[in-house]
Coordinates of all heavy atoms in Angstrom, one line a residue:
L144 N 90.1 81.7 75.3 CA 90.8 80.5 75.8 C 89.9 79.3 75.7 O 90.4 78.2 75.4 CB 91.2 80.8 77.3 CG 92.1 79.8 77.9 CD1 93.4 79.7 77.2 CD2 92.3 80.1 79.3
N145 N 88.6 79.4 75.9 CA 87.7 78.3 75.8 C 87.6 77.8 74.4 O 87.5 76.6 74.1 CB 86.3 78.6 76.3 CG 86.3 78.7 77.8 OD1 87.2 78.2 78.5 ND2 85.4 79.5 78.4
I146 N 87.6 78.7 73.4 CA 87.5 78.3 72.0 C 88.8 77.5 71.6 O 88.7 76.5 70.9 CB 87.4 79.6 71.1 CG1 86.0 80.2 71.4 CG2 87.5 79.2 69.7 CD1 85.8 81.6 70.8
I147 N 89.9 78.0 72.1 CA 91.2 77.2 71.8 C 91.1 75.8 72.4 O 91.5 74.8 71.8 CB 92.4 78.0 72.3 CG1 92.5 79.3 71.6 CG2 93.7 77.2 72.2 CD1 93.6 80.3 72.2
S148 N 90.7 75.7 73.7 CA 90.6 74.4 74.3 C 89.6 73.5 73.6 O 89.9 72.3 73.4 CB 90.1 74.6 75.8 OG 91.0 75.4 76.5
A149 N 88.5 74.1 73.2 CA 87.5 73.3 72.4 C 88.1 72.8 71.1 O 87.8 71.7 70.6 CB 86.2 74.1 72.2
S150 N 88.8 73.7 70.4 CA 89.4 73.3 69.1 C 90.4 72.2 69.3 O 90.5 71.3 68.5 CB 90.1 74.6 68.5 OG 89.2 75.6 68.3
V151 N 91.3 72.3 70.3 CA 92.3 71.2 70.5 C 91.6 69.9 70.9 O 91.9 68.8 70.4 CB 93.2 71.7 71.7 CG1 94.1 70.5 72.1 CG2 94.1 72.8 71.2
L152 N 90.5 70.0 71.7 CA 89.8 68.8 72.0 C 89.1 68.2 70.8 O 89.2 67.0 70.5 CB 88.7 69.1 73.1 CG 87.8 67.9 73.5 CD1 88.7 66.9 74.2 CD2 86.7 68.4 74.4
F153 N 88.5 69.0 69.9 CA 87.9 68.5 68.7 C 88.9 67.9 67.8 O 88.7 66.8 67.2 CB 87.2 69.7 68.0 CG 86.6 69.3 66.7 CD1 85.4 68.6 66.6 CD2 87.3 69.6 65.5 CE1 84.9 68.2 65.4 CE2 86.7 69.2 64.2 CZ 85.5 68.5 64.2
Y154 N 90.1 68.5 67.7 CA 91.2 68.0 66.8 C 91.7 66.6 67.3 O 91.8 65.7 66.5 CB 92.4 69.0 66.8 CG 93.5 68.6 65.9 CD1 93.4 68.9 64.5 CD2 94.6 67.9 66.3 CE1 94.4 68.5 63.6 CE2 95.6 67.6 65.5 CZ 95.5 67.9 64.1 OH 96.5 67.5 63.3
E155 N 91.9 66.5 68.6 CA 92.4 65.3 69.2 C 91.3 64.2 69.2 O 91.6 63.0 69.0 CB 92.9 65.5 70.6 CG 94.2 66.2 70.7 CD 95.4 65.5 70.2 OE1 95.4 64.2 70.3 OE2 96.3 66.1 69.6
M156 N 90.1 64.5 69.4 CA 89.0 63.5 69.5 C 88.5 63.0 68.1 O 88.2 61.8 67.9 CB 87.8 64.0 70.2 CG 88.1 64.3 71.7 SD 88.3 62.8 72.7 CE 86.7 62.2 72.6
Y157 N 88.5 63.9 67.1 CA 87.8 63.5 65.8 C 88.8 63.5 64.6 O 88.6 62.7 63.7 CB 86.7 64.5 65.5 CG 85.6 64.4 66.6 CD1 85.4 65.4 67.5 CD2 84.8 63.3 66.7 CE1 84.4 65.3 68.4 CE2 83.8 63.2 67.6 CZ 83.6 64.2 68.5 OH 82.6 64.1 69.5
L158 N 89.8 64.4 64.6 CA 90.6 64.5 63.4 C 91.9 63.6 63.5 O 92.3 63.0 62.5 CB 91.1 65.9 63.2 CG 89.9 66.9 62.9 CD1 90.5 68.3 62.7 CD2 89.1 66.5 61.7
V159 N 92.4 63.4 64.7 CA 93.6 62.5 64.8 C 93.2 61.0 64.5 O 93.9 60.3 63.8 CB 94.2 62.7 66.2 CG1 95.3 61.6 66.4 CG2 94.9 64.0 66.3
P160 N 92.1 60.5 65.0 CA 91.7 59.1 64.6 C 91.5 58.9 63.1 O 91.6 57.8 62.6 CB 90.4 58.9 65.4 CG 90.5 59.8 66.6 CD 91.2 61.0 66.1
Q161 N 91.2 60.0 62.4 CA 90.9 59.9 61.0 C 92.2 60.0 60.2 O 92.2 60.0 58.9 CB 89.9 60.9 60.5 CG 88.5 60.7 61.1 CD 87.5 61.7 60.7 OE1 87.9 62.6 59.9 NE2 86.3 61.6 61.1
G162 N 93.4 60.2 60.8 CA 94.6 60.3 60.1 C 95.3 61.6 60.2 O 96.4 61.7 59.6
A163 N 94.8 62.6 60.8 CA 95.5 63.9 61.0 C 96.7 63.7 61.9 O 96.7 62.9 62.8 CB 94.6 64.9 61.5
P164 N 97.8 64.5 61.7 CA 99.0 64.3 62.5 C 98.7 64.7 63.9 O 98.0 65.7 64.2 CB 100.0 65.2 61.8 CG 99.3 66.1 61.0 CD 98.0 65.5 60.6
S165 N 99.3 64.0 64.9 CA 99.1 64.4 66.3 C 100.3 65.2 66.7 O 101.4 65.0 66.3 CB 99.1 63.1 67.1 OG 99.0 63.4 68.5
F166 N 100.0 66.2 67.5 CA 101.0 67.2 68.0 C 101.3 66.9 69.5 O 100.4 66.6 70.3 CB 100.6 68.6 67.9 CG 100.3 69.0 66.4 CD1 99.1 69.2 66.0 CD2 101.4 69.2 65.6 CE1 98.8 69.6 64.7 CE2 101.2 69.6 64.3 CZ 99.9 69.8 63.8
A167 N 102.6 66.9 69.9 CA 102.9 66.7 71.3 C 103.9 67.8 71.7 O 104.8 68.2 70.9 CB 103.6 65.3 71.4
L168 N 103.7 68.3 72.9 CA 104.6 69.3 73.4 C 105.5 68.7 74.4 O 105.1 67.8 75.2 CB 103.8 70.4 74.1 CG 102.9 71.2 73.1 CD1 102.0 72.2 73.9 CD2 103.8 72.0 72.1
P169 N 106.8 69.2 74.5 CA 107.7 68.6 75.6 C 107.2 69.1 77.0 O 106.7 70.1 77.2 CB 109.0 69.2 75.2 CG 108.7 70.4 74.4 CD 107.4 70.1 73.7
A170 N 107.5 68.2 77.9 CA 107.0 68.5 79.3 C 107.9 69.4 80.1 O 107.5 70.0 81.1 CB 106.8 67.2 80.0
L171 N 109.2 69.5 79.7 CA 110.2 70.3 80.5 C 109.8 71.8 80.7 O 109.8 72.3 81.8 CB 111.5 70.2 79.8 CG 112.7 70.9 80.6 CD1 112.9 70.3 82.0 CD2 113.9 70.9 79.8
P172 N 109.3 72.5 79.6 CA 109.0 73.9 79.9 C 107.8 74.1 80.9 O 107.8 75.0 81.7 CB 108.6 74.4 78.5 CG 109.2 73.5 77.5 CD 109.3 72.2 78.2
F173 N 106.9 73.1 80.8 CA 105.7 73.2 81.7 C 106.2 72.9 83.2 O 105.6 73.5 84.1 CB 104.6 72.3 81.3 CG 104.1 72.7 80.0 CD1 104.3 71.9 78.8 CD2 103.3 73.8 79.8 CE1 103.8 72.3 77.6 CE2 102.8 74.1 78.6 CZ 103.0 73.4 77.5
T174 N 107.1 72.0 83.3 CA 107.7 71.7 84.6 C 108.4 72.9 85.3 O 108.2 73.2 86.4 CB 108.6 70.5 84.5 OG1 108.0 69.4 83.9 CG2 109.1 70.1 85.9
I175 N 109.2 73.6 84.5 CA 109.9 74.7 85.0 C 108.9 75.9 85.3 O 109.0 76.5 86.3 CB 110.9 75.2 83.9 CG1 112.0 74.1 83.8 CG2 111.6 76.5 84.3 CD1 113.0 74.3 82.6
I176 N 108.0 76.1 84.4 CA 107.0 77.2 84.7 C 106.1 76.8 85.9 O 105.8 77.8 86.6 CB 106.1 77.4 83.4 CG1 107.0 78.0 82.3 CG2 104.9 78.2 83.7 CD1 106.3 78.1 81.0
S177 N 105.8 75.6 86.1 CA 104.9 75.2 87.3 C 105.7 75.6 88.6 O 105.0 76.0 89.5 CB 104.5 73.8 87.2 OG 105.7 72.9 87.4
F178 N 107.0 75.4 88.6 CA 107.7 75.7 89.8 C 107.7 77.2 90.1 O 107.4 77.7 91.2 CB 109.2 75.3 89.6 CG 110.1 75.7 90.8 CD1 110.0 75.0 92.0 CD2 111.0 76.7 90.7 CE1 110.8 75.4 93.1 CE2 111.8 77.1 91.7 CZ 111.7 76.4 92.9
A179 N 107.9 78.0 89.0 CA 107.8 79.5 89.2 C 106.4 79.9 89.6 O 106.2 80.8 90.4 CB 108.2 80.2 87.9
L180 N 105.4 79.3 89.0 CA 104.0 79.7 89.3 C 103.7 79.3 90.8 O 102.9 80.0 91.5 CB 103.0 79.0 88.4 CG 102.9 79.6 87.0 CD1 102.0 78.8 86.1 CD2 102.5 81.1 87.0
G181 N 104.2 78.2 91.2 CA 104.1 77.8 92.6 C 104.6 78.8 93.6 O 104.0 79.1 94.6
L182 N 105.8 79.3 93.3 CA 106.5 80.3 94.1 C 105.6 81.6 94.1 O 105.5 82.3 95.2 CB 107.9 80.6 93.7 CG 108.9 79.5 94.0 CD1 110.3 79.9 93.4 CD2 109.0 79.3 95.5
L183 N 105.2 82.0 93.0 CA 104.3 83.2 92.9 C 103.0 83.0 93.7 O 102.6 84.0 94.4 CB 104.0 83.5 91.4 CG 103.1 84.7 91.1 CD1 103.9 86.0 91.5 CD2 102.7 84.7 89.7
L184 N 102.4 81.9 93.6 CA 101.2 81.6 94.4 C 101.5 81.7 95.9 O 100.7 82.3 96.6 CB 100.7 80.2 94.0 CG 99.3 79.8 94.6 CD1 98.2 80.8 94.2 CD2 99.0 78.4 94.3
V185 N 102.6 81.1 96.3 CA 102.9 81.2 97.7 C 103.1 82.6 98.2 O 102.7 83.0 99.2 CB 104.2 80.3 98.0 CG1 104.7 80.6 99.4 CG2 103.8 78.8 97.9
F186 N 103.8 83.4 97.4 CA 104.0 84.8 97.7 C 102.7 85.6 97.8 O 102.5 86.3 98.7 CB 104.9 85.4 96.6 CG 105.2 86.9 96.8 CD1 106.0 87.3 97.8 CD2 104.6 87.8 96.0 CE1 106.3 88.6 98.0 CE2 104.9 89.2 96.1 CZ 105.7 89.6 97.2
R187 N 101.8 85.3 96.9 CA 100.5 86.0 96.9 C 99.7 85.6 98.1 O 99.0 86.4 98.7 CB 99.8 85.8 95.6 CG 100.4 86.5 94.4 CD 99.5 86.4 93.2 NE 98.2 86.8 93.4 CZ 97.7 88.0 93.1 NH1 98.5 88.9 92.6 NH2 96.5 88.3 93.3
V188 N 99.7 84.3 98.4 CA 98.9 83.9 99.6 C 99.5 84.4 100.9 O 98.8 84.8 101.8 CB 98.9 82.3 99.6 CG1 98.3 81.8 100.9 CG2 98.0 81.8 98.5
N189 N 100.8 84.5 100.9 CA 101.5 85.1 102.1 C 101.1 86.5 102.3 O 100.8 87.0 103.4 CB 103.0 84.9 102.0 CG 103.7 85.2 103.3 OD1 103.1 85.2 104.4 ND2 105.0 85.4 103.2
N190 N 101.1 87.3 101.2 CA 100.7 88.7 101.3 C 99.2 88.9 101.6 O 98.9 89.8 102.4 CB 101.0 89.4 99.9 CG 102.4 89.8 99.8 OD1 103.2 89.7 100.7 ND2 102.8 90.0 98.5
A191 N 98.4 88.0 101.1 CA 97.0 88.1 101.5 C 96.8 87.8 102.9 O 95.9 88.4 103.6 CB 96.2 87.1 100.6
S192 N 97.5 86.8 103.5 CA 97.4 86.5 104.9 C 97.9 87.7 105.7 O 97.3 88.0 106.8 CB 98.2 85.3 105.2 OG 98.2 85.0 106.5
K193 N 98.9 88.3 105.3 CA 99.4 89.5 106.1 C 98.4 90.6 106.1 O 98.2 91.3 107.1 CB 100.7 90.0 105.5 CG 101.9 89.1 105.8 CD 103.2 89.7 105.2 CE 104.4 88.8 105.4 NZ 105.6 89.3 104.7
R194 N 97.8 90.9 104.9 CA 96.7 91.9 104.9 C 95.6 91.6 105.7 O 95.0 92.4 106.4 CB 96.3 92.1 103.4 CG 97.3 92.8 102.6 CD 96.7 93.3 101.2 NE 95.9 92.2 100.5 CZ 96.5 91.5 99.6 NH1 97.7 91.7 99.2 NH2 95.8 90.6 99.0
Y195 N 95.2 90.3 105.8 CA 94.0 89.9 106.6 C 94.4 90.1 108.1 O 93.6 90.6 108.9 CB 93.7 88.4 106.4 CG 92.7 87.9 107.3 CD1 91.3 88.2 107.2 CD2 93.1 87.1 108.4 CE1 90.4 87.7 108.1 CE2 92.1 86.6 109.3 CZ 90.8 86.9 109.1 OH 89.9 86.4 110.0
V196 N 95.6 89.7 108.5 CA 96.0 89.9 109.9 C 96.0 91.3 110.3 O 95.6 91.7 111.4 CB 97.3 89.2 110.2 CG1 97.9 89.5 111.5 CG2 97.2 87.7 110.1
R197 N 96.5 92.2 109.4 CA 96.6 93.6 109.6 C 95.2 94.2 109.8 O 94.9 95.0 110.7 CB 97.4 94.3 108.5 CG 97.4 95.8 108.6 CD 98.4 96.2 109.6 NE 98.5 97.7 109.6 CZ 98.6 98.4 110.6 NH1 98.7 97.9 111.8 NH2 98.7 99.7 110.5
A198 N 94.3 93.8 108.9 CA 92.9 94.3 108.9 C 92.2 93.9 110.2 O 91.5 94.6 110.8 CB 92.1 93.9 107.7
R199 N 92.5 92.6 110.6 CA 91.9 92.1 111.8 C 92.4 92.9 113.1 O 91.6 93.2 114.0 CB 92.2 90.6 112.0 CG 91.7 90.0 113.1 CD 90.5 89.1 112.7 NE 90.2 88.3 113.9 CZ 88.9 88.1 114.3 NH1 88.0 88.6 113.5 NH2 88.6 87.4 115.3
S200 N 93.7 93.2 113.1 CA 94.2 94.0 114.2 C 93.6 95.4 114.2 O 93.3 95.9 115.3 CB 95.7 94.0 114.2 OG 96.2 94.7 113.1
L201 N 93.5 96.0 113.1 CA 92.9 97.3 113.0 C 91.4 97.3 113.5 O 91.0 98.2 114.1 CB 93.0 97.9 111.6 CG 94.4 98.3 111.2 CD1 94.4 98.8 109.7 CD2 94.9 99.4 112.0
C202 N 90.7 96.3 113.1 CA 89.3 96.1 113.5 C 89.3 96.0 115.0 O 88.4 96.6 115.7 CB 88.7 94.9 112.8 SG 86.9 94.8 113.2
G203 N 90.2 95.2 115.6 CA 90.2 95.1 117.1 C 90.6 96.4 117.7 O 90.1 96.7 118.8
S204 N 91.5 97.2 117.1 CA 91.8 98.5 117.7 C 90.6 99.4 117.7 O 90.4 100.2 118.6 CB 92.9 99.1 116.9 OG 94.1 98.4 117.0
M205 N 89.8 99.4 116.6 CA 88.6 100.2 116.5 C 87.6 99.8 117.6 O 86.9 100.6 118.2 CB 88.0 100.1 115.2 CG 88.7 100.9 114.1 SD 87.8 101.1 112.6 CE 87.4 99.5 112.1
L206 N 87.5 98.5 117.9 CA 86.6 98.0 118.9 C 87.1 98.5 120.3 O 86.3 99.0 121.1 CB 86.6 96.5 118.9 CG 85.7 95.8 119.9 CD1 84.2 96.2 119.6 CD2 85.9 94.3 119.8
D207 N 88.4 98.5 120.5 CA 88.9 99.0 121.8 C 88.6 100.5 122.0 O 88.2 100.9 123.0 CB 90.4 98.7 121.9 CG 90.7 97.3 122.0 OD1 89.8 96.5 122.4 OD2 91.9 96.9 121.7
V208 N 88.8 101.2 120.9 CA 88.6 102.7 121.0 C 87.1 103.0 121.2 O 86.7 103.9 122.0 CB 89.1 103.4 119.7 CG1 88.6 104.8 119.6 CG2 90.6 103.3 119.6
S209 N 86.2 102.2 120.6 CA 84.8 102.4 120.8 C 84.4 102.1 122.2 O 83.5 102.8 122.8 CB 84.0 101.6 119.7 OG 84.2 100.3 119.9
R210 N 85.0 101.1 122.8 CA 84.7 100.8 124.2 C 85.2 101.9 125.1 O 84.4 102.3 126.0 CB 85.4 99.5 124.6 CG 84.7 98.2 124.1 CD 85.4 97.0 124.6 NE 84.9 95.8 123.9 CZ 85.6 94.7 123.7 NH1 86.8 94.7 124.0 NH2 85.0 93.7 123.1
D211 N 86.3 102.4 124.8 CA 86.9 103.5 125.6 C 86.0 104.8 125.5 O 85.7 105.5 126.5 CB 88.3 103.9 125.2 CG 89.3 102.8 125.5 OD1 89.0 102.0 126.4 OD2 90.4 102.8 124.9
L212 N 85.5 105.0 124.3 CA 84.6 106.2 124.1 C 83.3 106.0 124.9 O 82.8 107.0 125.5 CB 84.2 106.3 122.6 CG 85.2 107.0 121.7 CD1 84.8 106.9 120.3 CD2 85.4 108.5 122.1
C213 N 82.7 104.8 124.9 CA 81.5 104.6 125.7 C 81.8 104.7 127.2 O 81.0 105.3 127.9 CB 80.9 103.2 125.4 SG 80.2 103.1 123.8
Q214 N 82.9 104.2 127.6 CA 83.2 104.4 129.1 C 83.4 105.8 129.4 O 82.9 106.3 130.5 CB 84.5 103.6 129.4 CG 84.3 102.1 129.4 CD 85.6 101.3 129.6 OE1 86.6 101.9 129.7 NE2 85.4 100.0 129.7
Q215 N 84.1 106.6 128.6 CA 84.3 108.0 128.9 C 82.9 108.8 128.8 O 82.7 109.7 129.6 CB 85.3 108.6 127.9 CG 86.7 108.1 128.2 CD 87.7 108.7 127.2 OE1 87.4 109.6 126.5 NE2 88.9 108.2 127.3
S216 N 82.1 108.4 127.9 CA 80.8 109.1 127.8 C 79.9 108.8 129.1 O 79.2 109.7 129.5 CB 80.0 108.6 126.6 OG 79.6 107.3 126.7
V217 N 80.0 107.6 129.6 CA 79.3 107.3 130.8 C 79.9 108.2 132.0 O 79.1 108.7 132.8 CB 79.4 105.8 131.2 CG1 78.8 105.5 132.6 CG2 78.6 105.0 130.1
L218 N 81.2 108.4 132.0 CA 81.8 109.1 133.1 C 81.5 110.6 133.0 O 81.3 111.3 134.0 CB 83.3 108.9 133.1 CG 83.8 107.5 133.6 CD1 85.3 107.4 133.4 CD2 83.4 107.3 135.0
W219 N 81.5 111.2 131.7 CA 81.5 112.6 131.6 C 80.1 113.2 131.1 O 79.9 114.4 131.1 CB 82.5 113.1 130.5 CG 83.9 112.9 131.0 CD1 84.7 111.8 130.8 CD2 84.6 113.8 131.9 NE1 85.9 112.0 131.4 CE2 85.9 113.2 132.1 CE3 84.3 115.0 132.5 CZ2 86.8 113.8 132.9 CZ3 85.2 115.6 133.3 CH2 86.5 115.0 133.5
A220 N 79.1 112.3 130.9 CA 77.8 112.8 130.4 C 77.1 113.4 131.6 O 77.2 113.0 132.7 CB 77.0 111.6 129.8
R221 N 76.2 114.3 131.2 CA 75.4 115.0 132.2 C 74.3 114.1 132.8 O 73.9 114.2 134.0 CB 74.7 116.3 131.6 CG 75.7 117.3 131.3 CD 75.0 118.6 130.9 NE 76.1 119.6 130.5 CZ 76.1 120.2 129.3 NH1 75.3 119.9 128.4 NH2 77.1 121.0 129.1
S222 N 73.8 113.3 131.9 CA 72.7 112.3 132.4 C 73.0 110.9 131.8 O 73.7 110.8 130.8 CB 71.3 112.8 132.0 OG 71.2 112.8 130.5
K223 N 72.3 110.0 132.3 CA 72.5 108.6 131.9 C 71.9 108.4 130.4 O 72.5 107.7 129.6 CB 71.8 107.6 132.8 CG 72.0 106.2 132.5 CD 71.4 105.3 133.5 CE 71.7 103.8 133.2 NZ 71.1 102.9 134.2
E224 N 70.9 109.2 130.1 CA 70.2 109.1 128.8 C 71.2 109.6 127.7 O 71.2 109.1 126.6 CB 68.9 109.8 128.8 CG 67.8 109.2 129.6 CD 67.9 109.5 131.1 OE1 68.6 110.5 131.5 OE2 67.4 108.7 131.9
D225 N 71.9 110.7 128.0 CA 72.8 111.3 127.1 C 74.0 110.3 126.8 O 74.4 110.1 125.6 CB 73.4 112.6 127.6 CG 72.4 113.7 127.6 OD1 71.4 113.6 126.9 OD2 72.7 114.7 128.3
A226 N 74.5 109.6 127.8 CA 75.5 108.6 127.7 C 75.0 107.4 126.8 O 75.7 106.9 126.0 CB 76.0 108.2 129.0
L227 N 73.8 107.0 127.1 CA 73.3 105.8 126.4 C 73.0 106.2 124.9 O 73.3 105.4 124.0 CB 72.0 105.3 127.0 CG 72.1 104.6 128.3 CD1 70.8 104.3 128.9 CD2 73.0 103.4 128.2
E228 N 72.6 107.4 124.7 CA 72.4 107.9 123.3 C 73.7 107.9 122.5 O 73.8 107.5 121.4 CB 71.7 109.3 123.3 CG 71.4 109.8 121.9 CD 70.3 109.0 121.2 OE1 69.5 108.3 121.8 OE2 70.4 109.0 119.9
F229 N 74.7 108.4 123.2 CA 76.0 108.5 122.6 C 76.5 107.0 122.3 O 77.1 106.7 121.2 CB 77.0 109.2 123.4 CG 78.4 109.3 122.9 CD1 78.7 110.2 121.9 CD2 79.4 108.4 123.3 CE1 80.0 110.3 121.3 CE2 80.7 108.5 122.8 CZ 81.0 109.4 121.8
C230 N 76.4 106.2 123.3 CA 76.8 104.8 123.1 C 76.1 104.0 122.0 O 76.6 103.1 121.4 CB 76.7 104.0 124.4 SG 77.9 104.6 125.6
R231 N 74.9 104.4 121.7 CA 74.1 103.8 120.6 C 74.7 104.2 119.3 O 74.6 103.4 118.3 CB 72.7 104.2 120.7 CG 71.9 103.5 121.7 CD 70.4 103.8 121.6 NE 69.7 103.4 122.8 CZ 69.2 104.2 123.7 NH1 69.3 105.5 123.5 NH2 68.7 103.8 124.8
W232 N 75.3 105.4 119.2 CA 75.9 105.9 117.9 C 77.3 105.4 117.7 O 77.8 105.5 116.5 CB 75.8 107.4 117.8 CG 74.4 107.8 117.5 CD1 73.4 108.3 118.4 CD2 73.7 107.8 116.2 NE1 72.3 108.6 117.7 CE2 72.4 108.2 116.4 CE3 74.1 107.4 115.0 CZ2 71.5 108.3 115.4 CZ3 73.2 107.5 113.9 CH2 71.9 107.9 114.1
V233 N 78.0 105.0 118.7 CA 79.4 104.6 118.5 C 79.5 103.4 117.5 O 80.4 103.4 116.7 CB 80.0 104.3 119.9 CG1 81.4 103.6 119.7 CG2 80.2 105.5 120.6
P234 N 78.7 102.3 117.6 CA 78.8 101.3 116.6 C 78.6 101.7 115.2 O 79.2 101.2 114.2 CB 77.8 100.2 117.0 CG 77.5 100.5 118.4 CD 77.7 101.9 118.6
A235 N 77.7 102.7 115.0 CA 77.5 103.3 113.6 C 78.7 103.9 113.1 O 79.1 103.8 111.9 CB 76.3 104.2 113.6
F236 N 79.5 104.6 114.0 CA 80.7 105.3 113.6 C 81.7 104.2 113.2 O 82.4 104.3 112.2 CB 81.2 106.1 114.8 CG 82.6 106.7 114.5 CD1 82.8 107.7 113.6 CD2 83.7 106.2 115.3 CE1 84.1 108.2 113.4 CE2 84.9 106.7 115.1 CZ 85.1 107.7 114.1
T237 N 81.9 103.2 114.0 CA 82.8 102.1 113.7 C 82.5 101.4 112.4 O 83.4 101.1 111.5 CB 82.9 101.1 114.8 OG1 83.1 101.8 116.1 CG2 83.9 100.1 114.6
T238 N 81.2 101.2 112.2 CA 80.8 100.5 110.9 C 81.0 101.4 109.7 O 81.5 100.9 108.7 CB 79.3 100.2 111.0 OG1 79.1 99.3 112.2 CG2 78.8 99.4 109.8
S239 N 80.8 102.7 109.9 CA 81.1 103.6 108.8 C 82.5 103.7 108.4 O 82.9 103.8 107.3 CB 80.5 105.0 109.1 OG 81.3 105.6 110.1
L240 N 83.4 103.6 109.4 CA 84.8 103.5 109.1 C 85.2 102.3 108.4 O 86.1 102.3 107.5 CB 85.6 103.6 110.4 CG 85.8 105.0 111.1 CD1 86.5 104.8 112.4 CD2 86.4 105.9 110.2
M241 N 84.6 101.1 108.7 CA 84.9 99.9 108.0 C 84.4 100.0 106.5 O 85.0 99.4 105.7 CB 84.2 98.7 108.7 CG 84.9 98.3 109.9 SD 84.2 96.8 110.5 CE 84.2 97.1 112.3
C242 N 83.3 100.7 106.3 CA 82.8 100.8 104.9 C 83.7 101.7 104.0 O 83.7 101.6 102.8 CB 81.4 101.3 104.9 SG 80.2 100.1 105.6
I243 N 84.4 102.6 104.7 CA 85.2 103.6 103.9 C 86.4 102.8 103.3 O 86.8 103.0 102.2 CB 85.7 104.8 104.8 CG1 84.5 105.7 105.1 CG2 86.8 105.5 104.1 CD1 84.8 106.7 106.1
F244 N 87.0 102.0 104.1 CA 88.3 101.3 103.7 C 87.9 100.0 103.1 O 88.5 99.2 102.6 CB 89.2 101.2 104.9 CG 89.6 102.5 105.5 CD1 89.1 102.9 106.7 CD2 90.4 103.3 104.8 CE1 89.5 104.1 107.2 CE2 90.8 104.6 105.3 CZ 90.3 104.9 106.6

């Protein structure tokens, strides 16, 4: 694509002033295509926004579950040290889940 653009630029800058024929394209096809490309772009941005919101809500859900796990470990652990050790590993579990997806 860059080679084509450079060739057109060279033709217009150096060959047309020396007498080579100039080429012109009608604007109507590009106007129609730009409308379709605009709609496609809006559709893709909308889908990307939906995926971001969904991922953000799933991340929040994982945070809630990890808090619940820590609270339950404090309630059910035999000692405070066991509960703290478990609570130290909960963020690693959540981070590993984020890396998988």
Side-chain angles (χ1 to χ4, degrees):
L144 188 61
N145 289 335
I146 294 172
I147 295 170
S148 300
S150 301
V151 170
L152 180 66
F153 176 77
Y154 185 81
E155 288 292 326
M156 294 288 293
Y157 297 109
L158 297 179
V159 170
Q161 293 179 1
S165 179
F166 298 106
L168 295 173
L171 182 63
F173 297 107
T174 305
I175 294 170
I176 290 174
S177 66
F178 177 72
L180 286 175
L182 287 177
L183 180 65
L184 182 64
V185 167
F186 179 71
R187 289 184 56 93
V188 168
N189 193 16
N190 282 343
S192 177
K193 285 180 184 177
R194 285 194 309 265
Y195 173 76
V196 168
R197 176 75 174 142
R199 182 105 171 133
S200 69
L201 288 174
C202 186
S204 297
M205 286 193 306
L206 183 64
D207 292 340
V208 168
S209 64
R210 284 183 187 148
D211 291 341
L212 280 173
C213 287
Q214 289 175 355
Q215 288 179 10
S216 70
V217 169
L218 289 175
W219 292 97
R221 292 185 182 124
S222 66
K223 186 176 181 179
E224 291 80 24
D225 290 341
L227 288 176
E228 182 67 24
F229 180 78
C230 289
R231 284 189 195 109
W232 283 101
V233 169
F236 173 70
T237 307
T238 304
S239 68
L240 283 178
M241 285 187 218
C242 292
I243 290 172
F244 300 107

